[in-house]
Amino acid sequence: MSGERAQSVIWWGGVALLAVFAAERVAHLEWAAVAPSWWFLLTALGRSWLLAVIAIGVGICAAFPLALLRVYGPPGVRHAAVGVIEAVRATPELMIIFWVYFTWPYLAGNQVTAWNAALGSLSVIAAAYLAEVIRAGLYSVPAGQIEAAHSSGLSSYQSFRFVVLPQALRNMLPALIAQLVALFKTTSLVYAIGVMDFFCAVNVTKNAVFAPYALYLVLGAGYFISCFAITRVVRWFDPQYQLVE
Amino acid sequence: MTLDWSILWQFRQALWSGLLTTLWISAIGIIGSTLIGVTVGCLGSLPSLLLRRLTGSYVELLRNLPMIVKLFFLYFVAGLPAIAAALLALSLHQSAYIADVTRAGIRSIARGQVDAALSLGHGWPQVFRYVLLPQVLRVVMPPMTTQYVAVVKNSAVVALIAVQDLTFETQQINVETFRGFEAATAATVLYILVALAVIGTMTWLQPRAVRR
Amino acid sequence: MIEFRQVHKHFGALHVLDDISLRVAAGEVVVICGPSGSGKSTLLRCINRLEQIDSGEIVVDGISVAGTRDIARLRAEVGMVFQRFNLYPHLSVLDNLTLAPTKVRGLPKAKAVAAAMELLGRVGIPEKAAAWPAQLSGGQQQRVAIARALAMQPKIMLFDEPTSALDPEMIQEVLEVMMMLAKDGMTMVVVTHEMGFARRVADRVIFMDAGRIVEQGPPEDFFTQAKDARTQAFLSKILSHV
């Protein structure tokens, strides 16, 4: 369509113009003040990643049994699983972080470091949200698939492992990406209990040197690139996506 | 370990005013993000490459930045008053998700509906107003409910710029009495109740919005 | 009434309309047939700019389709009926018929309702005015869709395989409504494989293949003495199974 081509030209022209304009503005930001902190900021971004990766790892390990209990568990257990998952999902993430931080001393009798509290709360959040993603994925496989698997002689475990699970994993991919990105963004909230994550580090630097725009550009870029990378990396594992692209 | 729940009664005034702040901030956040999000979602559904790219960039940019980054930028860097920064950050943040929900809802309506309406001479505003949005409303109510609960949850972040919402008051109680556990428990229960109220309202609205 | 001048259109690498030139006179009934993917539906959809053309020109009722700034006005004069009916599922039958007249033409509601009821009578289902589209059979839905298009009092009616999605026993009731329209002098362009309809009603039959008009003529010639091999092959397939 000729209209499409014209619009495409306008779009890329606009993008180029904006890029030139932005580059000029960005070049004049207070980089000299920020430059000495680059290693500090980079390690802090690494710390945010570490938080996210560990929380996702723990979260997935906890989410699978939770989701299976919610879908296949006996009635009492099922309701308990629903209760836990939904309660966590209805509570603000910041509240959960505070909650773990304050509750730990009562449960364990000793103080908890902010880092461990951050890890614990992020893992709880990851577990609840990922359990929901997995449940939706399991439900997305039509019942006829299990019937077909059973009728071809596969055991219950085999039908789950070889028929239901592969389809469920595929179907849950978009929601999984959304949750992983959401989780990475949530790591920014551990700032509230004093963990030196990327968000915290940028704000600490901002209080030390006067370079708000440069620092917030770094902040935004750090999160945007990280989240974008998560989206791309997860999609890269999807064979169907590779075919489409 | 000894718990002292009487602390909650002692600070009932603070909790109550915090809850009210959370409620009205969330309400405005819900309205604001819906207005922006639905508009962006509709624009992105028009047969225009330029609009698709523009709205797509808007959504992509906002979705990949944490809410707290937007909030702190508006408050500390752009210098808005705390309440204004809170409302704007909340609305902008969720509008990206609501735009996506709207766009997906519109895409779920058969292309033939648009063809039919256009062939009868309706302009795009009428196509949206009379043909698409009434049908989209049926499909988007459940995902919208999720988004509205998310607004309530994200509103907790505004406590970090000293807006005196429920989370902020919880912090205050902890600072004054070191009874963080009791206060956080109470606040969590209140947040869950608000979420349930949002879900209940949307469930109540669903048949009423669809029947017309 | 409708004129195509050297119209070309591509979908990516596919040349869906390849140098189409065509005139349809006022009151004429033209049937277009051809194998799937031959471009016949696209040709129809270009007439009211549901599809844009790459080059050439289409003039409808003296207005250039590509050039007009007010495409909605042109579309209001050109009714269209779709394979899948495309009734609005959230509106009653009556509201389906009155939406465009009231919102596009600005007709008072009462007048639009009266006109709609008369049209429902003409297509034979006045008792279904209050029903929802989902409660109707396919044939009834398609008749409502025709009535909805007629409610705008169009000068031209386009039919895009109007009976292909119908169960066999419902095809006749839709064709009868279309024959009635033709008898009343409506200008019609019909994409269909209903050759019985073409034989009885069409002034001209057009055969398309691979984006080109291969052959055209009055039905008696078209069915008995088709010259092109592709037309003959197509006709033998489609007529033998009838």
Side-chain angles (χ1 to χ4, degrees):
Chain A
M1 204 184 287
S2 54
E4 292 259 298
R5 204 169 306 143
Q7 290 187 11
S8 184
V9 169
I10 295 174
W11 167 255
W12 288 114
V15 168
L17 213 67
L18 199 71
V20 169
F21 181 73
E24 199 267 335
R25 291 294 301 267
V26 167
H28 286 88
L29 288 176
E30 319 87 339
W31 295 112
V34 177
S37 309
W38 75 272
W39 180 247
F40 171 64
L41 292 174
L42 196 64
T43 49
L45 182 60
R47 214 169 289 127
S48 284
W49 267 96
L50 189 64
L51 270 175
V53 168
I54 296 177
I56 288 167
V58 177
I60 285 181
C61 292
F64 252 103
L66 261 179
L68 291 177
L69 286 178
R70 181 166 183 177
V71 177
Y72 302 115
V77 177
R78 194 158 64 216
H79 291 125
V82 172
V84 170
I85 294 171
E86 293 305 327
V88 171
R89 285 178 4 112
T91 310
E93 289 82 351
L94 184 60
M95 210 63 226
I96 294 174
I97 293 169
F98 283 146
W99 215 80
V100 170
Y101 195 46
F102 296 136
T103 309
W104 192 275
Y106 281 97
L107 297 180
N110 61 336
Q111 284 299 315
V112 62
T113 63
W115 172 260
N116 285 339
L119 268 185
S121 46
L122 288 175
S123 300
V124 167
I125 292 166
Y129 281 88
L130 294 177
E132 192 54 22
V133 170
I134 294 169
R135 181 194 69 96
L138 291 176
Y139 275 144
S140 73
V141 181
Q145 292 290 316
I146 302 179
E147 287 165 17
H150 277 155
S151 69
S152 68
L154 295 183
S155 72
S156 289
Y157 168 74
Q158 286 171 325
S159 352
F160 177 77
R161 168 68 185 79
F162 298 108
V163 178
V164 176
L165 195 58
Q167 297 187 52
L169 285 174
R170 276 245 50 226
N171 294 344
M172 67 179 73
L173 208 66
L176 185 69
I177 291 174
Q179 285 313 331
L180 295 185
V181 169
L183 197 76
F184 189 83
K185 290 188 294 177
T186 305
T187 60
S188 62
L189 297 180
V190 302
Y191 151 88
I193 55 172
V195 175
M196 188 61 80
D197 74 321
F198 186 50
F199 184 76
C200 189
V202 169
N203 281 290
V204 165
T205 313
K206 178 172 155 290
N207 291 339
V209 299
F210 182 78
Y213 287 100
L215 280 168
Y216 265 71
L217 193 65
V218 170
L219 179 63
Y223 279 107
F224 187 88
I225 293 169
S226 299
C227 294
F228 205 72
I230 293 173
T231 309
R232 287 297 138 118
V233 166
V234 178
R235 278 204 197 141
W236 194 73
F237 282 107
D238 179 10
Q240 202 155 321
Y241 177 76
Q242 289 181 356
L243 284 179
V244 173
E245 289 290 282
Chain B
M1 73 184 199
T2 49
L3 295 177
D4 180 10
W5 294 104
S6 70
I7 204 81
L8 299 179
W9 181 248
Q10 199 183 320
F11 281 89
R12 61 188 184 280
Q13 208 63 51
L15 285 171
W16 176 244
S17 86
L19 178 64
L20 285 184
T21 306
T22 290
L23 283 176
W24 77 258
I25 284 184
S26 304
I28 295 185
I30 285 173
I31 294 167
S33 58
T34 305
L35 289 178
I36 304 171
V38 170
T39 308
V40 171
C42 287
L43 289 176
S45 304
L46 287 168
S48 152
L49 182 78
L50 204 56
L51 282 175
R52 220 157 46 229
R53 292 262 170 88
L54 279 172
T55 56
S57 306
Y58 175 86
V59 169
E60 196 75 25
L61 181 69
L62 287 190
R63 286 219 312 189
N64 285 328
L65 293 176
M67 152 94 184
I68 192 175
V69 170
K70 295 162 201 158
L71 183 71
F72 274 46
F73 179 81
L74 290 173
Y75 183 61
F76 288 113
V77 180
L80 291 184
I83 292 285
L87 294 177
L88 195 57
L90 210 52
S91 300
L92 287 177
H93 181 72
Q94 218 63 38
S95 74
Y97 296 87
I98 289 179
D100 241 16
V101 167
T102 308
R103 208 167 40 175
I106 291 172
R107 204 180 310 147
S108 75
I109 307 296
R111 164 78 208 175
Q113 291 289 312
V114 174
D115 285 346
L118 288 177
S119 78
L120 285 163
H122 291 289
W124 278 106
Q126 289 193 348
V127 174
F128 276 101
R129 166 76 184 78
Y130 298 111
V131 178
L132 283 178
L133 289 182
Q135 297 186 57
V136 168
L137 203 55
R138 300 167 181 225
V139 263
V140 300
M141 292 288 273
M144 280 298 195
T145 308
T146 312
Q147 296 308 319
Y148 292 165
V149 171
V151 172
V152 175
K153 294 195 308 172
N154 287 330
S155 77
V157 178
V158 305
L160 298 178
I161 57 167
V163 174
Q164 298 176 359
D165 76 332
L166 190 51
T167 304
F168 182 86
E169 298 297 351
T170 313
Q171 289 298 94
Q172 285 304 107
I173 296 172
N174 182 51
V175 168
E176 287 173 35
T177 66
F178 298 106
R179 290 283 167 191
F181 177 73
E182 291 87 336
T185 308
T188 302
V189 170
L190 287 175
Y191 272 115
I192 292 177
L193 287 179
V194 175
L196 287 176
V198 170
I199 295 168
T201 310
M202 291 297 277
T203 314
W204 181 80
L205 276 174
Q206 167 95 27
R208 282 160 185 80
V210 166
R211 193 188 56 206
R212 37 168 287 142
Chain C
M1 200 65 161
I2 306 171
E3 184 170 3
F4 280 64
R5 293 187 203 127
Q6 284 125 45
V7 171
H8 288 265
K9 177 173 179 60
H10 296 79
F11 283 137
L14 193 68
H15 206 159
V16 272
L17 293 183
D18 185 357
D19 196 27
I20 299 286
S21 292
L22 174 71
R23 296 180 76 114
V24 178
E28 196 180 4
V29 176
V30 174
V31 164
I32 304 177
C33 59
S36 63
S38 59
K40 51 197 194 308
S41 280
T42 308
L43 184 148
L44 206 64
R45 291 165 62 85
C46 287
I47 295 174
N48 60 358
R49 213 167 91 185
L50 288 183
E51 304 284 357
Q52 305 255 14
I53 58 174
D54 294 341
S55 65
E57 197 181 16
I58 302 176
V59 178
V60 173
D61 198 21
I63 299 166
S64 162
V65 174
T68 179
R69 288 220 144 269
D70 193 0
I71 187 67
R73 225 179 96 194
L74 187 143
R75 283 171 176 157
E77 308 295 332
V78 182
M80 189 164 197
V81 175
F82 302 87
Q83 182 177 357
R84 305 230 59 108
F85 330 135
N86 296 345
L87 292 179
Y88 308 135
H90 61 297
L91 299 179
S92 70
V93 165
L94 190 63
D95 288 341
N96 261 279
L97 263 66
T98 56
L99 184 67
T102 53
K103 302 303 175 191
V104 177
R105 293 247 195 261
L107 220 61
K109 182 84 179 172
K111 268 191 166 169
V113 168
M117 289 309 296
E118 198 226 306
L119 280 168
L120 284 176
R122 273 179 74 191
V123 301
I125 36 175
E127 74 281 4
K128 296 293 186 188
W132 299 93
Q135 298 169 324
L136 305 183
S137 72
Q140 290 171 331
Q141 287 194 49
Q142 194 59 301
R143 284 189 279 160
V144 171
I146 295 174
R148 179 175 69 175
L150 290 175
M152 293 296 283
Q153 301 179 311
K155 298 178 180 157
I156 300 168
M157 284 287 281
L158 310 175
F159 292 83
D160 190 359
E161 307 207 24
T163 56
S164 313
L166 295 176
D167 291 335
E169 74 271 20
M170 292 170 181
I171 291 177
Q172 201 51 38
E173 63 188 59
V174 171
L175 290 181
E176 269 161 21
V177 171
M178 292 167 63
M179 286 180 202
M180 177 183 78
L181 269 180
K183 212 181 296 167
D184 292 351
M186 176 67 76
T187 308
M188 292 164 63
V189 182
V190 184
V191 170
T192 186
H193 288 163
E194 292 296 329
M195 290 303 133
F197 173 82
R199 221 186 272 266
R200 268 195 283 169
V201 183
D203 298 306
R204 183 159 38 129
V205 182
I206 293 176
F207 176 72
M208 283 184 74
D209 189 30
R212 305 189 69 103
I213 293 179
V214 175
E215 190 152 4
Q216 55 178 314
E220 54 271 25
D221 300 351
F222 183 84
F223 288 112
T224 52
Q225 39 192 310
K227 293 170 202 77
D228 193 280
R230 280 174 293 177
T231 318
Q232 290 164 355
F234 178 77
L235 284 176
S236 72
K237 262 184 244 162
I238 211 157
L239 293 177
S240 65
H241 94 223
V242 171

